[in-house]
Amino acid sequence: MDRTRAAHRPLHRWPGALAITVVTLVGCSGAPPATAPPPPSAASQEARPPAAPAIAQAPTAAPGASAAAPEEPPRAAAHAAAQLTIDKAITIGKWPEGIAVVGDTAWVAESGNRRVARVDLKRGEVVSRVAVGRLPVQVVASPEGAIYTLAHTDRAIWAIDGQTARARALARLPDSPEDMVVADGALWVLLWSKGSSANSSVVRIDPATGGQRRSPALGRDAFALAVGHGRIWVAHGNGKVSVVDQTSLEPRDELHIGDLHRRIAAGPGAIFTDVRSGVARLDPMSGRATSEVALGETVSVLRQMGDDVIAVGESGRTWLLDPENLTIRAILSPPDAVRSPHDAWRHGETLLLTEFDDAGAGGKEDGRLLILRSSPR
């Protein structure tokens, strides 16, 4: 199968040794959704969250006056260290990508075989596989336990019943999908216009009916989206973050922070985005960067779950960050066997991490699920 999609695309503080179990997969990327508040009733056909107040803008200098230099966000430091070791390796198959977890079950997009694998985390094995569309690259789970996968080649969303593992085609998308999250009772998909990064938009999908509503154009080089605080946040590779009203889907603001964004996540109190080889924290009301931390490598996965922001670098190194100020709480170093990661999820006191190896793009059936444990260094 010709692979046409480019690769791209939390944790908890524990006392003493970081008792972390990490699941990693060899496959392509995927971006699971940011943690969202409980959605409204599924009986409603479209989620209609309350409108949020406009983002405050920085003061504009008077004509002829020199603009004040932007305030430098505070940078954080200090951390603990731990080493991850392989506890168990589970073969998944060809190109495992996105992952979502409901209870003790992990659902993994196996894009090379047009399937979603169902993994029993207690037994540490694949218990079944569900056939879906071509090139399933992401899996997301609603708070109620509904599973959805994004089939990139087919431009379609499939719904999977978490109890019976039966799948059905939910919606055909109007353009090429780039990212998907589930939040506030709806599915939100970032689209590229005609398969090109030259322009983008967001479409809201009703998970009950498949009904759709699309935003106006948002501009080029859009790579990821997050939903929170009454807004949709879209990360662009040119340093822009588009802010879209969650109810009307009308663009409201453009934030310019740094010069490169490919990851973005929404937390209860802030928005987080990568800034080249680091992470910035944005105040959702003002749109300003309140904290920033340099990590020294490209961020492959970024999200907040529990009381940590998790940033996973392209090497597999994982940072646990304080969501209030991005202080580094811990750095978890991967074993040599871990390949480039692309997705992460917390499961109790475990971290589920997906990865893929660029060298595996030829079609090897060696995609794996690695369970890793940590110990102090």
Side-chain angles (χ1 to χ4, degrees), residues 49-127:
I55 288 180
Q57 299 299 311
T60 303
S66 298
E71 183 178 344
E72 181 73 12
R75 298 177 182 269
H79 62 268
Q83 176 67 48
L84 297 169
T85 57
I86 296 177
D87 182 63
K88 186 178 294 185
I90 305 166
T91 299
I92 297 294
K94 188 176 180 181
W95 300 339
E97 301 204 25
I99 184 170
V101 177
V102 176
D104 292 317
T105 300
W107 300 84
V108 182
E110 190 183 345
S111 65
N113 287 321
R114 307 182 185 185
R115 304 180 301 202
V116 173
R118 185 182 190 181
V119 181
D120 187 313
L121 295 175
K122 286 186 174 179
R123 292 159 55 183
E125 62 184 36
V126 177
V127 293

Side-chain angles (χ1 to χ4, degrees), residues 308-340:
D308 288 305
V309 173
I310 297 180
V312 183
E314 59 187 351
S315 70
R317 183 176 290 110
T318 300
W319 288 263
L320 309 185
L321 308 174
D322 187 327
E324 294 299 319
N325 55 21
L326 296 184
T327 296
I328 299 175
R329 291 170 166 170
I331 298 177
L332 312 178
S333 298
D336 293 340
V338 174
R339 294 173 279 190
S340 301

Side-chain angles (χ1 to χ4, degrees), residues 132-135 151-158 171-173 177:
V132 292
R134 292 176 295 172
L135 206 67
H152 185 266
T153 301
D154 291 338
R155 300 182 180 182
I157 297 175
W158 286 69
R172 175 86 178 191
L173 299 169

Side-chain angles (χ1 to χ4, degrees), residues 16 258 354:
T354 65

Side-chain angles (χ1 to χ4, degrees), residues 178-351:
E178 184 67 9
D179 194 16
M180 177 174 71
V181 301
V182 59
D184 294 338
L187 292 159
W188 311 82
V189 183
L190 177 63
L191 303 175
W192 278 8
S193 179
K194 299 178 181 179
S196 168
S197 64
N199 214 337
S200 63
S201 61
V202 171
V203 63
R204 179 174 58 207
I205 311 291
D206 184 327
T209 67
Q212 303 181 28
R213 185 176 178 184
R214 189 173 183 176
S215 77
L218 300 176
R220 65 180 302 109
D221 299 332
F223 291 106
L225 83 165
V227 176
H229 308 278
R231 304 180 181 93
I232 306 160
W233 309 79
V234 179
H236 296 258
N238 58 7
K240 180 178 78 172
V241 175
S242 294
V243 186
V244 179
D245 185 90
Q246 195 173 331
T247 301
S248 67
L249 296 187
E250 290 295 322
R252 299 190 61 169
D253 296 276
E254 290 185 359
L255 312 179
H256 295 273
I257 301 159
D259 59 355
L260 178 63
H261 305 301
R262 289 180 180 268
R263 312 283 179 262
I264 196 161
I271 303 299
F272 305 94
T273 185
D274 65 327
V275 182
R276 283 199 177 271
S277 58
V279 174
R281 180 190 188 275
L282 310 182
D283 182 288
M285 296 298 105
S286 70
R288 295 186 177 92
T290 61
S291 303
E292 187 177 322
V293 61
L295 302 179
E297 65 179 86
T298 300
V299 175
S300 295
V301 183
L302 180 66
R303 68 168 47 216
Q304 181 178 354
M305 295 186 77
D307 62 353
D308 288 305
V309 173
I310 297 180
V312 183
E314 59 187 351
S315 70
R317 183 176 290 110
T318 300
W319 288 263
L320 309 185
L321 308 174
D322 187 327
E324 294 299 319
N325 55 21
L326 296 184
T327 296
I328 299 175
R329 291 170 166 170
I331 298 177
L332 312 178
S333 298
D336 293 340
V338 174
R339 294 173 279 190
S340 301
H342 290 269
D343 202 356
W345 194 270
R346 174 182 292 172
H347 177 241
E349 292 189 354
T350 69
L351 174 66

